[in-house]
Amino acid sequence: MGTDKWGRRIRAYRKLKGFTQVGFANALGYSTSIIGEVERGSRQPDEKLLRKVSEVLDIPLEELAPEDNN
């Protein structure tokens, strides 16, 4: 699964929930630069980050996962 797909979904849900990138990074306990890299698709989010994102955004991890359109 492409890193850019994860990033686009995370960014979309973050914005839907009303978080700025800085506020979101603070809520996650990660640096803004790491969240920016994930959202741009230049960094693959690890399982720990994905679980934290799911928790902070209050959405199931399955809903956060990009669709696999192979």
Side-chain angles (χ1 to χ4, degrees):
M1 210 169 297
T3 56
D4 61 328
K5 291 181 182 179
W6 278 107
R8 285 188 298 225
R9 302 237 348 145
I10 290 170
R11 179 174 48 242
Y13 277 108
R14 169 181 63 79
K15 288 181 176 184
L16 277 173
K17 297 290 185 163
F19 281 98
T20 64
Q21 197 174 65
V22 172
F24 189 51
N26 287 340
L28 292 170
Y30 283 80
S31 72
T32 306
S33 63
I34 288 175
I35 301 307
E37 288 173 7
V38 169
E39 289 188 356
R40 286 189 303 275
S42 60
R43 178 187 287 251
Q44 175 70 40
D46 62 17
E47 186 175 341
K48 179 180 174 186
L49 175 56
L50 290 173
R51 291 193 185 284
K52 189 72 174 169
V53 166
S54 172
E55 178 183 310
V56 168
L57 294 177
D58 193 30
I59 58 172
L61 189 55
E62 296 78 25
E63 190 173 329
L64 183 63
E67 294 179 14
D68 193 9
N69 296 329
N70 288 351

